[in-house]
Structure formats: structure tokens, C-alpha cells
Amino acid sequence: MDSFQEPIHYQNPQLCIKVWKFTHSGNEHFGYQPWHYHKEIEFILVLEGVHEMHTPTAAYKLHPGDVMVIGSSQLHKSRVHPGKHVTYIVLHVDLEPYFDPAMMHYTRHFMEIMNPLDDLNYLFSKYPHVQEEVGAILLHIHEEVMHKKKGYEIAVSMHIKHLLLVLLRNDDLLLLSAHEYVDADFLRPVMAYVENNLGEKIEMAEVSRLAGMSYVYFSKYFKKKMGLSFTEFVNRKRILKAKRMLVTDNKSITSIAAAVGMENMAHFYELFKRFNHCTPKQFKENMKVKERK
């Protein structure tokens, strides 16, 4: 399977976003993109035509005015139909710089600790007014970045916050419910250390040192603030990386398990099945079937 990690080149590094309008006539190329992923959250707004998007668990046919969101580092691909015209806006944004003190009660959910933001796509099909409001925000962000009027950085920041607020206030499934307040100075070095060391043995003693806490206090603090133990958080990150590698790397399952720091294959299989409701082999085969469709 062709796949890759897509580099996102920000138009403004301070804003950590890229927003662009794409137009396909259907004549220059057609078919599926390879599976790909990126750290940034992706929002899509279709302006003309029909745009087809796929994730490992769902397929979307987006018509004019339709919006969808793809979570951080989630595999996805699009399809361009031959002879079909389509125009759409794509916003890539790293949310981390927007986690200021006003956001910290909600950081756990926007960081996708438990579930990818893909789960919020129910909002756009259930509530047309949410889709319309988010679509308008995406248009405003695109206009501000394209024209770069004085103060556009402030405007874009406000629109990003508005976008998150719309999702938060309309989420009646409470996927984005408030949790414990989390200090960003505590969170950022811990998250970065875990992300950069998933292939290694992660010692909580080292992480607690980075957080400036004792081992015991860190363990209790993390679980209280994040809603899950530090060990479970690391395991979820390892399995998410393993899922991407099953698609992006032509390696054996044993090699992939080792690459995400899990030498015990029985434990790896148990965790993978718990989080994905299938074995690694079944996941890989399912992705191959999706690739052929």
C-alpha cells in the first residue's frame, strides 16, 4: 500500500496553519490518493462538486456546503472522480499553540487523548446549523490568510477559537466535556517526550522528573488531570503509531511491535484488539481491501 506522512508547510509559522483552496477538473488525474497522515487537524469544506474522503473506519461523500474533520495523525485519503469538477477548502492546524489558559479545561479532549476528533463528524450530519457555521469560519480563515490585511493574525486566531467553541457547545454526546484544568507547562514537555520516545522504554521516573514532580505525585496527578493512567496513555499512543505503520511500512507485525516499544507480542495483540476491535493482521487485511475498492 502506498502511504506517507504528509509534510504541512505553514503559511504563517506563528499561527501553525495552512489553508488552501483546491480545484480538480477530473481530467488531470483521478483515483485515490495514497493513505497519508499529519500531526495537524484537518478541516474540509466543499464548495463545488462531490469530494470523497476515506478513513480506516468510514467513507464520506461531501457535497457543496459539507464539512468534515480529520484528527491528528489519523490515516485518510481522498478520491477524485474522472471528469468530475470539485472545489474545496482545506485547513490544516496544529491546535497546541491555541491551548491558552482559557482552553485548558478542554485540552484533554482536543488533544485526542481518548478519541480522535473524527468522532465529531456526527455534528455536521446531525446539525445543519453547525455545518453552516463551521463552513463560514473556514471561509473567513481562508480569506484572512489570502489577503493578509493588517491584524489578520489576530483575526485567524479568533476564528480558530470560534471554531473550537462551536464544536464544544454543540457536542451533545459530550465527547468534548470539561475535565480537570491542566497546566500547559506540565503538559507540553510530557507529551513531547512520549511522542519522541515511543520506540523506546519510557520510564515514568524520567517523565516525572521532566514534570518536576515525584514519581508517586506525577502518577496521581496525571490520572486525575487526563482521565487515564500514564501507562494507558502511552499504550494508546503506541497502538496508534502501530496502526499507521501497518499501512505505511512494509514490515512484519513483530517488527512493528518492536518499533513502538512493545516486545511482548501477546501484550501487543491484546492492546491492539482492545483499542481497535480487531487483530493487527485483520486491520492490515482490511486496509488492503479498502485500497482495492
Side-chain angles (χ1 to χ4, degrees), residues 43-53 61-68 85-90 135 138-139:
F43 288 91
I44 299 168
L45 166 65
V46 174
L47 301 176
E48 298 177 298
V50 178
H51 190 49
E52 194 172 321
M53 291 294 300
K61 277 195 173 181
L62 306 175
H63 297 83
D66 285 351
V67 170
M68 74 171 292
H85 178 89
V86 60
T87 301
Y88 54 96
I89 287 175
V90 177
L138 295 176
L139 285 171

Side-chain angles (χ1 to χ4, degrees), residues 60-282:
Y60 303 85
K61 277 195 173 181
L62 306 175
H63 297 83
D66 285 351
V67 170
M68 74 171 292
V69 59
I70 298 166
S72 172
S73 298
Q74 300 295 318
L75 289 165
H76 58 286
K77 64 179 179 178
S78 64
R79 183 181 183 187
V80 177
H81 293 272
K84 301 293 185 180
H85 178 89
V86 60
T87 301
Y88 54 96
I89 287 175
V90 177
L91 167 67
H92 294 110
V93 55
D94 180 0
L95 292 181
E96 185 176 320
Y98 298 91
F99 294 154
D100 61 17
M103 280 285 298
M104 297 314 290
H105 279 293
Y106 308 98
T107 297
R108 170 178 175 258
H109 301 286
F110 282 116
M111 285 186 65
E112 305 174 276
I113 299 297
M114 299 295 288
N115 300 295
L117 287 180
D118 305 29
D119 291 351
L120 291 175
N121 282 311
Y122 84 90
L123 285 169
F124 306 128
S125 56
K126 187 176 181 180
Y127 299 119
H129 74 278
V130 175
Q131 181 161 263
E132 183 177 347
E133 191 167 1
V134 170
I137 293 169
L138 295 176
L139 285 171
H140 287 315
I141 293 172
H142 179 260
E143 181 179 5
E144 289 288 350
V145 173
M146 291 298 103
H147 291 94
K148 292 184 171 58
K149 293 180 181 178
K150 183 178 181 181
Y152 84 96
E153 302 93 339
I154 299 172
V156 169
S157 297
M158 291 172 61
H159 287 311
I160 296 292
K161 287 294 192 68
H162 184 195
L163 174 55
L164 299 181
L165 181 61
V166 171
L167 298 177
L168 185 67
R169 287 192 168 169
N170 289 280
D171 171 33
D172 53 14
L173 295 184
L174 302 182
L175 301 177
L176 297 173
S177 57
H179 198 66
E180 292 278 344
Y181 182 90
V182 183
D183 188 335
D185 291 336
F186 154 78
L187 197 60
R188 289 192 178 105
V190 171
M191 300 296 111
Y193 180 83
V194 171
E195 200 65 46
N196 293 332
N197 291 278
L198 287 174
E200 310 298 329
K201 187 174 182 180
I202 295 178
E203 298 282 1
M204 196 156 71
E206 173 62 18
V207 181
S208 59
R209 186 192 66 77
L210 285 173
M213 300 176 181
S214 70
Y215 182 100
V216 173
Y217 185 78
F218 172 82
S219 178
K220 292 179 179 178
Y221 184 88
F222 189 94
K223 187 168 185 178
K224 180 182 180 183
K225 297 296 185 180
M226 306 306 289
L228 74 172
S229 71
F230 179 72
T231 299
E232 183 179 357
F233 169 73
V234 173
N235 284 337
R236 285 178 175 272
K237 287 289 187 180
R238 292 194 199 277
I239 296 302
L240 178 60
K241 183 176 180 180
K243 280 177 63 177
R244 294 196 300 267
M245 292 183 69
L246 285 166
V247 177
T248 60
D249 293 347
N250 189 25
K251 294 181 178 179
S252 69
I253 293 174
T254 302
S255 298
I256 288 173
V260 298
M262 304 190 74
E263 302 286 351
N264 185 324
M265 289 302 295
H267 187 47
F268 174 71
Y269 269 82
E270 188 272 325
L271 287 174
F272 194 97
K273 194 166 185 180
R274 185 201 305 174
F275 297 144
N276 298 290
H277 309 293
C278 64
T279 66
K281 183 177 180 181
Q282 288 168 337

Side-chain angles (χ1 to χ4, degrees), residues 21-41:
K21 183 187 290 186
F22 293 90
T23 298
H24 299 294
S25 67
N27 296 322
E28 68 279 67
H29 68 281
F30 59 89
Y32 285 111
Q33 279 187 320
W35 289 103
H36 60 285
Y37 64 95
H38 35 73
K39 176 187 177 184
E40 294 76 13
I41 308 299

